[in-house]
Amino acid sequence: MGRYTCSFLVSVPSDHLQPLLVELLQDYQLDIQYQTSDYIIAREFPGNVSFSKLVTVEVLIDKSKSTETETRMSIVIKNEELPLQVDNYCRQMFESIKQAIETSRHWHLIESLAG
């Protein structure tokens, strides 16, 4: 199973972050399966890759440590594919989504910690 994680600290209030993240995930053709004010699960639509490669993205917005101007969030990107190669499909999706978060025009990235 491929599994990649990263934490971010961004300069945006937590109330504004969730809808922006939903939009960002939908830009990657991900279907929002579940969402609350501090948690999002999105999954790739079947059809473009085999079922074992379908990526699931989980986003946790840490409201307990949020301030009026900064919010910490964590992402987990995973699939059922065995990561036999370093540059596997799940890793490619992780790097792409991570870069989109880091360069988004909707907030300023303060910190990014890959796990």
Side-chain angles (χ1 to χ4, degrees):
M1 171 186 262
R3 186 175 200 277
Y4 303 93
T5 63
C6 193
S7 295
F8 303 93
L9 181 61
V10 293
S11 64
V12 65
S14 63
D15 295 341
H16 299 312
L17 182 59
Q18 194 260 6
L20 295 171
L21 287 170
V22 167
E23 182 181 325
L24 184 142
L25 294 172
Q26 288 173 334
D27 287 347
Y28 277 87
Q29 305 306 310
L30 297 168
D31 180 35
I32 306 302
Q33 307 245 306
Y34 179 80
Q35 71 181 35
T36 63
S37 62
D38 61 353
Y39 188 68
I40 303 167
I41 296 179
R43 186 173 171 118
E44 257 185 306
F45 289 102
N48 294 330
V49 295
S50 66
F51 279 103
S52 65
K53 290 184 178 184
L54 289 175
V55 169
T56 300
V57 179
E58 295 181 37
V59 181
L60 176 63
I61 301 169
D62 189 354
K63 291 188 170 190
S64 67
K65 297 179 183 173
S66 295
T67 67
E68 289 185 21
T69 59
E70 295 178 353
T71 304
R72 183 167 298 280
M73 67 173 159
S74 299
I75 62 168
V76 176
I77 298 179
K78 58 188 177 180
N79 68 5
E80 297 297 322
E81 177 187 27
L82 290 174
L84 300 176
Q85 301 172 354
V86 174
D87 190 28
N88 59 65
Y89 181 73
C90 189
R91 178 67 180 215
Q92 292 169 2
M93 286 293 289
F94 169 75
E95 292 296 338
S96 183
I97 293 171
K98 179 177 173 271
Q99 182 177 9
I101 291 171
E102 291 175 341
T103 60
S104 175
R105 62 181 173 81
H106 296 293
W107 54 72
H108 173 71
L109 179 72
I110 298 169
E111 179 180 72
S112 174
L113 300 169

